[in-house]
Amino acid sequence: MVSAVGPQQNIITKTRDFYSTPELEKEIRDSHAHVVSGSPLNQSRIAMEKFQNAITLYPIRGMKGSVNSNFYEFLTMGMVPYIIGSGMMIAVFNGVTKHFEPNQAKHASSIGRKMALGVLFYGALKSLSKKFIEVPVYLKTGVDVNMPYKDMKTPLPEKPGEDALDKRNEYHQVFESVDFPRWDLLYDMKKGKPRNYYYDKVAKRMGLGKDLADSDQEAKPKIKEMIIRTKTWTTLSSYLWAGLGVALAVQDGWDKAFVKNNSEVKIFSRQFAKDLKDGFKESCKQLWNGGVNKSPTRAAAGKAFVLAAATSTVLGAFMSTFNFFNKQADLKDGKIDYDKDYTVG
């Protein structure tokens, strides 16, 4: 690598037989599909950008019959009815309680609050519970199941003879398709490291060995197998946790947090936070013990629900990271053990 300083004090490097600058490298990188940071902050930024486009650009483009309205935009717009439907469920009881008689309004408010909590807990636990499996998988293997990448799409001209439009962003995941992962994006993952640096690291963590001549070919089948297992277990586990969140939300322990001496609740107060914490503890106890009346049937159902959700998480994390590594038991110091029988298939 040859480096020099240009007239404007920009660092110029010679890499792979051509001269480049950091600015040019960034421009080249941003013009093609490339892996982006999977940090919570960046994931939130991506989600906000997708949501903004889902309620503004994508519907308008679709209703106009644009040739650039694609399947990605269709799937992204799926979050809009989900959010609208959640809001409508929350408003079913809470928006009309003022028209009821006092005693009826009290019961309707209680149901409405539990319904609102159920919607929130369902969404929160359905998303959060996946991390209970995905994080151990990442720590064990170094594979981020939700690794995001930014794709650049060149739109088609809307009319004949129209000039080319600017490229548009699409955010996908490297392992979004189990059959066709974007293996190509995992090469040259880190500047200054070997081309197979990512696969070398993953293969080593998986127990496939180190300093492999073709670590990518060794690791790819195992990564695909792990992705399939992880997605299966996270899907199963997430719905159990989401249902558990709804079961927790319908307990009577929350009433204390929202009703205080029949006075208006001050949501942004320290007392409300304390009552909410107490309501959560009481609702957990009621779910485990069978409600206020401690019904044996409800208690058994509650315990089974909690244990099923917890077991699915532990089992999912275990099954996703164990018993699929290629344990090189047939090799001793890199040599074949000829005392064992082998089957050629």
Side-chain angles (χ1 to χ4, degrees):
M1 178 181 291
V2 180
S3 63
V5 179
Q8 298 180 353
Q9 300 300 315
N10 289 331
I11 298 176
I12 302 176
T13 58
K14 184 178 180 182
T15 306
R16 297 181 184 175
D17 298 328
F18 68 90
Y19 289 94
S20 179
T21 64
E23 292 78 11
L24 179 58
E25 290 183 10
K26 183 177 184 302
E27 184 177 349
I28 295 174
R29 178 176 179 271
D30 291 345
S31 65
H32 298 78
H34 59 277
V35 175
V36 296
S37 171
S39 66
L41 181 61
N42 196 52
Q43 291 277 27
S44 300
R45 185 191 63 78
I46 292 174
M48 288 300 298
E49 182 177 334
K50 292 176 70 173
F51 177 72
Q52 182 180 352
N53 291 335
I55 61 177
T56 55
L57 297 179
Y58 298 163
I60 296 174
R61 196 176 295 158
M63 287 186 286
K64 286 183 177 180
S66 171
V67 294
N68 293 301
S69 181
N70 56 22
F71 192 55
Y72 168 80
E73 296 182 0
F74 170 75
L75 292 179
T76 303
M77 286 190 293
M79 67 175 70
V80 177
Y82 179 84
I83 294 175
I84 293 176
S86 298
M88 292 181 66
M89 286 190 65
I90 293 175
V92 165
F93 283 87
N94 295 290
V96 296
T97 52
K98 61 182 179 181
H99 301 294
F100 296 163
E101 297 294 333
N103 190 42
Q104 295 175 338
K106 180 179 179 181
H107 291 290
S109 296
S110 177
I111 296 174
R113 287 190 294 266
K114 292 173 183 178
M115 185 172 291
L117 285 174
V119 171
L120 295 176
F121 286 174
Y122 180 92
L125 287 179
K126 188 172 182 292
S127 299
L128 183 62
S129 61
K130 294 181 179 180
K131 299 299 180 184
F132 299 158
I133 297 176
E134 293 169 352
V135 171
V137 168
Y138 175 73
L139 294 176
K140 177 70 175 179
T141 66
V143 177
D144 182 1
V145 177
N146 300 310
M147 182 185 294
Y149 75 91
K150 183 178 181 180
D151 202 359
M152 308 299 295
K153 297 294 185 180
T154 302
L156 299 172
E158 295 287 351
K159 300 177 181 178
E162 187 179 53
D163 294 336
L165 302 176
D166 294 335
K167 289 188 175 183
R168 295 170 179 166
N169 301 337
E170 288 186 8
Y171 290 99
H172 297 271
Q173 294 178 355
V174 173
F175 303 109
E176 189 171 88
S177 170
V178 177
D179 294 322
F180 304 101
R182 290 298 305 268
W183 299 119
D184 57 303
L185 300 179
L186 301 178
Y187 293 99
D188 293 318
M189 280 283 289
K190 195 168 184 179
K191 191 174 181 180
K193 296 291 185 179
R195 176 172 170 77
N196 274 9
Y197 171 76
Y198 176 84
Y199 294 106
D200 291 340
K201 181 179 65 174
V202 171
K204 182 179 178 181
R205 287 197 181 186
M206 285 185 168
L208 300 176
K210 59 181 180 179
D211 301 326
L212 300 175
D214 298 300
S215 59
D216 54 340
Q217 301 305 314
E218 295 285 345
K220 284 178 182 179
K222 299 302 180 182
I223 292 175
K224 182 180 289 191
E225 180 183 342
M226 186 198 64
I227 294 296
I228 294 173
R229 292 191 180 192
T230 302
K231 287 190 174 183
T232 301
W233 280 104
T234 53
T235 300
L236 174 63
S237 178
S238 65
Y239 281 107
L240 286 172
W241 281 101
L244 184 61
V246 175
L248 181 63
V250 299
Q251 302 302 316
D252 295 328
W254 298 104
D255 290 338
K256 180 181 177 181
F258 293 97
V259 181
K260 194 71 174 178
N261 297 325
N262 296 323
S263 61
E264 185 178 353
V265 177
K266 296 181 180 179
I267 296 180
F268 298 103
S269 65
R270 183 176 299 179
Q271 182 60 43
F272 175 72
K274 182 179 180 301
D275 290 340
L276 197 64
K277 182 179 69 173
D278 294 340
F280 175 76
K281 291 181 179 179
E282 183 62 27
S283 296
C284 289
K285 292 179 181 178
Q286 290 179 1
L287 177 63
W288 186 261
N289 295 324
V292 178
N293 299 325
K294 296 185 177 181
S295 167
T297 303
R298 291 183 61 184
K303 289 181 174 66
F305 214 156
V306 173
L307 293 175
T311 301
S312 68
T313 297
V314 175
L315 194 59
F318 178 78
M319 292 297 296
S320 297
T321 58
F322 183 77
N323 199 29
F324 71 91
F325 300 137
N326 181 17
K327 299 179 181 179
Q328 298 177 321
D330 294 337
L331 296 181
K332 294 183 178 180
D333 299 327
K335 299 180 181 179
I336 298 178
D337 186 357
Y338 291 99
D339 293 332
K340 288 191 176 183
D341 294 330
Y342 296 90
T343 301
V344 179

